[in-house]
Amino acid sequence: MPALLAPPLSLYVHFPWCVRKCPYCDFNSYTLQGELQAEPYVARLARDLEAQAPEVSGRPVVSVFFGGGTPSLFSPAAIARVLDAARRCLTLAPDAEVTLEANPGAIERGAFTEYRAAGVTRVSLGAQSFAPEALAALGRIHSPDETRRAAEELHAAGLANFNLDLMYALPGQDRAAALRDVEEALALGPAHLSHYQLTLEPGTLFAAHPPPLPDEDEAAEMLDECAARLAVAGFERYEVSAWARPGRQCRHNLNYWSFGDYLGVGAGAHGKLTLPERGEIVRTVQPREPRRYLAAAPGELTRTTVPAEQLPFEFMLNALRLTAGFSMEEFTARSGLAPSRIAARLARFLTRGLIEPTPEGFRASELGLRFLNDLLADFLPESAEMSGGFALSIAPAGGARDSLRPLFTGADPPIGE
Ligand SMILES: C[S@@+](CC[C@H](N)C(=O)[O-])C[C@H]1O[C@@H](n2cnc3c(N)ncnc32)[C@H](O)[C@@H]1O
Ligand code: SF4
């Protein structure tokens, strides 16, 4: 058996409340009822960090992601307290990337300067669209001008390293409107752009009462046109839904997609830890509902060892989303499996043009990216294929998470940018 090596470690912190639940969203988020009780939640997060810290003792934390829900509902002082707790309990790398998700409709004027002083180095802003009618159809709580103002404030606060979340294939949207949204986003000078096709997620209001959406061909054309525009603007696509200026990729999400490790704290947060001394990869899940999370004892989380036969799928689910793909060394070090476990399948996909070689290893070809679901399904262990439910158990937490959406409707939504 090749040696399992501990990969880089990240930290994901979940904040489950929003001003209002959006009708398309199946993230673990809840409309805030009454005043936000920040203090008990922050105290619980700190206890959670203490409880999980011994397992990762001495390992540097390369990135932190405050995701939601709407973390920007929490004051800069509250975020500073969580970061202090992380510094106390863990070994935070001096140059750690620290991202805060913010909703343009739930951010106090001038707050970005304070978030930066608290230790935030990067912000992810939920713009979604710049068309007032689209924002209304999406049930968003902000106007395009509020997004523009938030972006201006980010630049003024010295947080030019920010992401804008955009969605396309929106109710009633045509190609020109989708492209206009990208233009408007570019005009705000972001360093990163996440561009998601709107999907109807089971259990949401939109799934129960679907709005009229562009068909798949139209959506594919929107994506192609927007991608071309982003390339002209100097953005590189480094993942299925993620574009960045050179050197501005999200390190946190890259760690998920490279099958790295992450601690998950907060209601419903997922974690993944490699334990080389035990030859195991473990997944953790926190109690999902905020009330249950608050009432649970720190360290009271669900732990599951990932069976070896699931590992090729789990690795590929992440690595094949990256335009750079993966190397065999990375596969063996991060899964603890021999290359022979995937060699036959890779050879078959190479022949069919779904995978192509890179100087370091392999990546999904353009054709492969279009049929990524089918490609991934081939890496499923037989038992999961039969139950048809494998994706339900493996959605990672944090940033990467929402990027699984186009692939796996019905999956527990990944948490993060
Ligand atoms: C946790 S939310 C972002 C932060 C913040 N809560 C906000 O909405 O402004 C993550 C992102 O996932 C995307 N997203 C959520 N639901 C989606 C869906 N059904 N289809 C496509 N993208 C979705 C949105 O772009 C959203 O900004
Ligand atoms: S999209 Fe963002 S603001 Fe809307 S409900 Fe989901 S997490 Fe909350």
Side-chain angles (χ1 to χ4, degrees):
M1 279 282 276
L4 190 60
L5 299 177
L9 175 69
S10 294
L11 167 66
Y12 177 75
V13 187
H14 191 67
F15 295 85
W17 294 284
C18 297
V19 172
R20 190 169 75 205
K21 180 81 182 173
C22 303
Y24 55 85
C25 175
D26 71 343
F27 280 73
N28 187 31
S29 61
Y30 307 85
T31 297
L32 181 63
Q33 310 287 345
E35 283 265 305
L36 176 70
Q37 301 296 320
E39 210 288 323
Y41 195 72
V42 166
R44 175 69 175 88
L45 290 175
R47 289 200 300 275
D48 205 345
L49 280 164
E50 270 166 37
Q52 292 196 63
E55 203 146 37
V56 294
S57 172
R59 290 178 63 184
V61 174
V62 298
S63 65
V64 181
F65 197 99
F66 295 114
T70 306
S72 61
L73 283 174
F74 284 70
S75 67
I79 296 296
R81 277 189 58 200
V82 181
L83 265 176
D84 285 347
R87 283 196 198 96
R88 231 179 12 253
C89 303
L90 310 169
T91 313
L92 215 59
D95 64 342
E97 175 191 85
V98 181
T99 304
L100 176 87
E101 269 186 352
N103 183 319
I107 184 84
E108 301 266 322
R109 271 200 178 218
F112 286 130
T113 308
E114 290 176 61
Y115 283 121
R116 185 177 173 214
V120 169
T121 65
R122 183 177 180 275
V123 166
S124 176
L125 201 59
Q128 319 307 350
S129 173
F130 291 87
E133 65 282 5
L135 290 176
L138 293 172
R140 296 293 294 181
I141 58 165
H142 56 89
S143 64
D145 278 344
E146 280 171 300
T147 306
R148 291 186 191 106
R149 198 187 69 212
E152 269 167 34
E153 290 199 3
L154 281 166
H155 285 289
L159 284 168
N161 186 16
F162 69 89
N163 166 63
L164 292 176
D165 277 344
L166 272 190
M167 293 192 291
Y168 68 96
L170 303 178
Q173 192 181 46
D174 60 17
R175 266 185 290 162
L179 198 56
R180 251 192 326 271
D181 273 345
V182 169
E183 288 292 353
E184 296 258 20
L186 287 173
L188 303 184
H192 189 288
L193 214 135
S194 299
H195 195 230
Y196 304 114
Q197 179 177 351
L198 175 68
T199 50
L200 297 180
E201 300 298 332
T204 61
L205 211 63
F206 269 13
H209 306 284
L213 295 181
D215 64 28
E216 275 306 313
D217 288 344
E218 183 79 359
E221 282 168 21
M222 284 178 187
L223 174 61
D224 287 348
E225 284 187 21
C226 294
R229 178 66 189 94
L230 285 165
V232 169
F235 280 69
E236 285 165 11
R237 186 183 197 179
Y238 68 102
E239 188 268 346
V240 172
S241 312
W243 276 259
R245 291 195 185 282
R248 290 304 199 179
Q249 288 99 339
C250 175
R251 274 146 58 191
H252 187 83
N253 287 350
L254 265 179
N255 194 34
Y256 291 140
W257 292 319
S258 316
F259 211 46
D261 279 1
Y262 44 96
L263 280 181
V265 303
H270 293 229
K272 170 198 169 252
L273 290 178
T274 304
L275 308 173
E277 61 294 347
R278 304 223 309 250
E280 273 181 14
I281 294 178
V282 173
R283 290 206 175 270
T284 60
V285 188
Q286 302 278 358
R288 191 173 160 84
E289 285 158 55
R291 228 177 317 164
R292 275 192 48 226
Y293 173 73
L294 282 163
E300 197 181 311
L301 34 71
T302 312
R303 286 173 72 92
T304 1
T305 301
V306 185
E309 66 270 19
Q310 269 179 220
L311 285 169
F313 172 74
E314 292 219 14
F315 180 89
M316 293 301 167
L317 178 69
N318 290 288
L320 287 180
R321 301 184 62 82
L322 291 170
T323 54
F326 65 94
S327 68
M328 274 304 193
E329 290 73 32
E330 205 169 55
F331 173 77
T332 34
R334 296 197 175 183
S335 68
L337 300 175
S340 57
R341 294 288 283 262
I342 53 168
R345 274 172 286 192
L346 287 181
R348 203 164 60 240
F349 293 138
L350 274 169
T351 317
R352 287 166 54 194
L354 293 167
I355 276 181
E356 58 194 24
T358 66
E360 288 81 31
F362 303 94
R363 67 174 175 214
S365 65
E366 218 164 282
L367 186 70
L369 279 179
R370 271 181 51 206
F371 297 101
L372 201 50
N373 262 350
D374 300 328
L375 228 166
L376 288 171
D378 217 71
F379 286 100
L380 282 170
E382 268 166 37
S383 53
E385 262 178 289
M386 272 152 45
S387 75
F390 196 94
L392 294 175
S393 63
I394 47 74
R401 307 12 102 34
D402 40 12
S403 303
L404 298 178
R405 261 173 215 297
L407 298 176
F408 293 106
T409 46
D412 194 16
I415 298 168
E417 170 181 308

